[in-house]
Amino acid sequence: IKNQPGFNSELFEKESSVKAAITRLSLRATQLPDTAWLLKINTAIRDYEIELSKIQEKLNELPGYRAKKFANSIPTIAQVQNLLDKKTALLSYHLGKNELVVLCITANELSYYQQAIDTSFFSSIISFKASLNNFAAEQKYNGAAVSAQLYNSTVKPVWDKIKNLDKLLIIPDDELNSLPFEALQDENGNYLLEKFTVQYRYSTALLQNDNKTKLADKSSLAMAPFSAAGNAVFAKLEYSKNEVANLRGNILIDTAATKKNFLSAADKYGILHLATHTIVNDTIPERSLIAFYPVADSLPNENNLYVQEIYNLKLDSTRLVILSA
C-alpha cells in the first residue's frame, strides 16, 4: 500500500518513527529503577501513543486505504482448496484451555476433529521441547514417549485424511507455535518428517499472497557478531565466521556486525543470515531479542534488536531470513 501512488508516504514514515520511539522508551522503562524517571518515560509513551492514534486516524481517512488494508480477508474454504494441489493438506489448529480443534483442508474435502485436553497436554509440549534442547554427548534422546503422546493428539486424528499425501501446511495456535511437528513420532517411531514435507503458515489470508511480492536479488546480508569474543551473557561463537564466510553478498563480522548496520541494510538483500545469539523471554515477550555487536554485559541494551523493533522493520524485499542462533 505504501508504495502505491496516491498515498501520503510522509504519514507512513511518521507512523513508523512514532512506533520506533514508543519501542525505545518501553525498553528504557525496563531498565529504570528510579520512580520519577519511570513516570516521565511512561508519560512520554502515552503522548506518543496518542500521536500514533491520530496518525492512524488520518491514514484511515485516505481514499481507498481501508479497502486496500483489509482486502486480504480470510478466504472461503473453496478458495483455499483452489490453492492446494492434490498432494497437500492444510491443518489449522485451534487450541483452547480444555479442547483442541483441528481443521483439515485438502483439495477435495474439509473435515474437523475436536477432542478434550487438560493441563497434561501443555506439560507434554514443555517436556518435549526440553528433551530436544537438553542433551549431553553420552545421553540418549529420551523424547520418544512424549513425542508419541503429542502425535496422538495432533496428527493421528487426521491421519486417514492425510496418509496418502506428501505435504502439510500447518497453521499452529498459541503454545503449538513453538512445537516442531516434524519431530513428532508415531507408534512405530517414525518421524512426521519421514512422511511429509512440512511448512508453516500463520493465516489462510496469507496463502493468497505467496510469490506476489517484488523481491530483491538472492545475495545475502550476513552477520556474525560473536565469532571473536563473548561476554558474561553470551558465549563466543567461534564457528559463526565460517558459517557465513562463503555466502555471496555483504558479510559483516564482529565489530562490523552492528545493529545500526543491520537496520540500514536489511531491506536491500534477498536473504538475511544472522549467526548470533537470541533470547526468547516467555515471561515478558517484549524483552525477547537478537544480539548484535557491540557485545555488552547488561540486558537490555541498545545493541540488541528487540521484538517490538522487529515489528517495525521494513522487509518487503526479503525472500528468506535465516536465524542461526
Side-chain angles (χ1 to χ4, degrees):
I1 298 175
K2 295 177 184 178
N3 296 330
Q4 293 181 10
F7 288 105
N8 187 338
S9 60
E10 288 184 9
L11 276 178
F12 289 112
E13 293 299 326
K14 197 168 184 180
E15 179 190 38
S16 179
S17 175
V18 171
K19 284 182 177 180
I22 292 172
T23 296
R24 286 195 300 271
L25 289 171
S26 298
L27 294 171
R28 195 175 302 166
T30 67
Q31 298 174 281
L32 288 175
D34 187 287
T35 306
W37 273 107
L38 190 59
L39 181 61
K40 288 183 179 179
I41 286 180
N42 285 333
T43 300
I45 290 173
R46 183 200 63 197
D47 292 342
Y48 273 122
E49 287 175 339
I50 292 172
E51 183 180 357
L52 179 62
S53 177
K54 291 179 179 178
I55 292 170
Q56 290 171 337
E57 284 179 8
K58 289 181 180 179
L59 286 171
N60 285 331
E61 291 170 2
L62 294 175
Y65 173 73
R66 285 185 61 84
K68 287 184 179 294
K69 182 177 180 181
F70 298 106
N72 295 326
S73 58
I74 302 300
T76 65
I77 298 299
Q79 289 172 325
V80 172
Q81 289 175 320
N82 285 334
L83 297 171
L84 301 177
D85 60 47
K86 293 187 181 300
K87 285 294 185 178
T88 300
L90 184 143
L91 302 180
S92 181
Y93 289 87
H94 303 266
L95 189 59
K97 185 178 180 180
N98 299 309
E99 67 176 8
L100 173 65
V101 176
V102 189
L103 300 178
C104 178
I105 304 175
T106 65
N108 302 315
E109 187 178 3
L110 164 68
S111 53
Y112 80 95
Y113 303 86
Q114 181 178 357
Q115 59 181 312
I117 58 172
D118 55 27
T119 55
S120 65
F121 177 81
F122 299 95
S123 299
S124 295
I125 295 175
I126 295 171
S127 176
F128 179 53
K129 289 192 294 181
S131 70
L132 292 173
N133 289 292
N134 302 329
F135 63 90
E138 70 282 357
Q139 180 180 324
K140 184 178 179 181
Y141 169 65
N142 64 354
V146 68
S147 172
Q149 293 174 16
L150 290 169
Y151 179 94
N152 288 339
S153 299
T154 58
V155 179
K156 193 172 182 178
V158 299
W159 179 253
D160 285 343
K161 303 296 182 182
I162 66 174
K163 61 184 179 183
N164 296 320
L165 306 180
D166 298 330
K167 180 178 177 181
L168 300 179
L169 297 178
I170 294 177
I171 300 179
D173 186 30
D174 287 340
E175 284 86 348
L176 293 177
N177 275 287
S178 58
L179 177 68
F181 283 78
E182 303 95 316
L184 297 180
Q185 293 172 270
D186 64 18
E187 61 273 13
N188 298 315
N190 299 314
Y191 292 97
L192 193 69
L193 190 59
E194 294 181 75
K195 168 66 176 169
F196 301 101
T197 298
V198 178
Q199 293 186 3
Y200 295 91
R201 293 291 188 269
Y202 298 96
S203 167
T204 53
L206 299 177
L207 288 174
Q208 302 175 98
N209 294 336
D210 281 2
N211 302 320
K212 291 184 181 179
T213 306
K214 182 181 178 182
L215 300 171
D217 63 32
K218 295 180 181 178
S219 61
S220 300
L221 171 66
M223 310 188 84
F226 291 90
S227 75
N231 62 11
V233 179
F234 298 117
K236 175 183 175 182
L237 298 172
E238 59 181 304
Y239 296 110
S240 59
K241 182 177 181 179
N242 295 350
E243 179 181 327
V244 301
N246 294 319
L247 298 177
R248 181 169 64 87
N250 189 6
I251 314 302
L252 303 178
I253 309 295
D254 295 326
T255 58
T258 64
K259 174 181 173 181
K260 181 179 179 181
N261 285 341
F262 173 77
L263 293 177
S264 65
D267 199 40
K268 298 174 183 176
Y269 295 87
I271 301 171
L272 306 180
H273 188 123
L274 304 178
T276 181
H277 283 291
T278 63
I279 288 180
V280 175
N281 190 323
D282 288 327
T283 305
I284 309 175
E286 60 268 25
R287 294 194 190 179
S288 299
L289 61 90
I290 301 172
F292 290 88
Y293 188 93
V295 177
D297 288 324
S298 62
L299 290 173
N301 71 72
E302 294 296 322
N303 309 320
N304 300 322
L305 184 69
Y306 290 85
V307 165
Q308 291 162 288
E309 296 175 292
I310 295 173
Y311 293 152
N312 296 336
L313 291 179
K314 184 185 179 196
L315 296 177
D316 50 340
S317 295
T318 305
R319 303 170 68 92
L320 175 69
V321 177
I322 301 166
L323 182 54
S324 172

